[in-house]
Amino acid sequence: MIYCVEDDSNIRELLLYTLHNSGFEAKGIEDGEALFAEMAREKPLLILLDVMLPGENGIEILKRIRLDMSTRSIPVIMLTAKSSEYDKVIGLDSGADDYVCKPFGMMELISRIKAVLRRTSAPEVSDMLVCGNVVLNVRGHSVTVDGRPVELTLKEFELLKLLMKNPGVVLNRDTLLGSIWGYDFDGETRTVDVHVRTLRSKLGEKGDIIETVRGVGYKIGNS
């Protein structure tokens, strides 16, 4: 899920239309308070944050996001009509992952979003990812369930790793397809469903840690 924080309804609707057509789940939000209320319910994969907002401006909102341990790692791309180097420096120094000036091309924005997601998901926060009794060893490239080794294919391993790295975050099929198979992969999204099904089967009774979010994608709970 990508949150678009933009008070101009026309721009907000255009952003949502473009994101949906590019395979992303997205939600439009008008101001900072609505953003924090929404994040209390569901953490997004990325935030598009306008600088000029009513009430708290985008920079102030960004600082609040970075000060909160539960949200500080969420990627944020700033959107603004301001184009001076000083404004960009302020945004980036405040913790923005990227800075896009209006007017911008929608396809360029999608490209920047994909680049930020690739960049921010690349570092491994830990060698060991744990969900209940399922343990994934990143460096050792191994998975155990209740202490017993489970043999996974490379794609199954990458799929489980991506889900476990984003506990509680719903990842849609296109995002999973792009992250694991590459954006130039010409298969269909049912490829993801097939791999999830075989992955659940190999995890046995613990396969239910992978939850289906109907009509959206998959997630692993905050276990």
Side-chain angles (χ1 to χ4, degrees), residues 13-219:
E13 290 305 313
L14 179 57
L15 287 169
L16 294 177
Y17 176 81
T18 303
L19 287 165
H20 290 154
N21 282 350
S22 300
F24 292 102
E25 290 297 316
K27 182 174 294 186
I29 298 172
E30 294 185 3
D31 56 36
E33 288 310 306
L35 170 65
F36 287 103
E38 202 64 49
M39 286 199 293
R41 289 187 287 270
E42 180 185 357
K43 298 296 188 295
L45 194 62
L46 179 142
I47 299 171
L48 296 177
L49 180 59
D50 188 32
V51 170
M52 304 302 291
L53 291 169
E56 279 187 296
N57 65 42
I59 298 298
E60 293 167 339
I61 293 169
L62 176 62
K63 289 177 179 177
R64 283 180 63 187
I65 291 171
R66 293 297 180 241
L67 286 172
D68 188 329
M69 288 297 294
S70 68
T71 60
R72 65 186 309 172
S73 62
I74 297 173
V76 177
I77 297 179
M78 304 299 291
L79 307 177
T80 182
K82 295 184 175 181
S83 59
S84 75
E85 183 177 359
Y86 175 77
D87 291 320
K88 292 181 181 179
V89 169
I90 292 296
L92 295 171
D93 282 353
S94 298
D97 294 276
D98 203 352
Y99 198 102
V100 182
C101 295
K102 300 175 184 177
F104 48 79
M106 287 298 167
M107 291 303 100
E108 177 193 354
L109 179 62
I110 294 299
S111 178
R112 301 277 280 271
I113 288 171
K114 290 177 178 179
V116 167
L117 289 175
R118 285 195 299 269
R119 189 167 69 243
T120 56
S121 66
E124 303 295 350
V125 297
S126 171
D127 287 346
M128 307 295 287
L129 300 174
V130 181
C131 181
N133 292 329
V134 178
V135 179
L136 185 147
N137 185 322
V138 176
R139 291 186 183 275
H141 208 276
S142 63
V143 175
T144 60
V145 176
D146 294 326
R148 298 188 304 273
V150 176
E151 294 296 326
L152 301 180
T153 66
L154 175 61
K155 296 302 184 187
E156 290 165 353
F157 182 87
E158 292 299 321
L159 177 59
L160 181 60
K161 181 175 72 171
L162 184 58
L163 288 167
M164 291 181 73
K165 283 176 62 179
N166 295 278
V169 177
V170 181
L171 302 177
N172 70 24
R173 290 169 176 81
D174 289 295
T175 298
L176 292 168
L177 190 66
S179 298
I180 296 169
W181 283 269
Y183 287 106
D184 57 350
F185 183 72
D186 60 2
E188 299 179 5
T189 54
R190 65 168 171 256
T191 298
V192 175
D193 298 328
V194 171
H195 279 75
V196 168
R197 186 162 61 246
T198 58
L199 178 55
R200 281 173 171 156
S201 176
K202 290 183 178 182
L203 295 177
E205 293 182 355
K206 306 302 180 184
D208 60 3
I209 66 169
I210 304 174
E211 303 174 21
T212 300
V213 179
R214 192 172 181 83
V216 182
Y218 300 97
K219 73 171 183 175

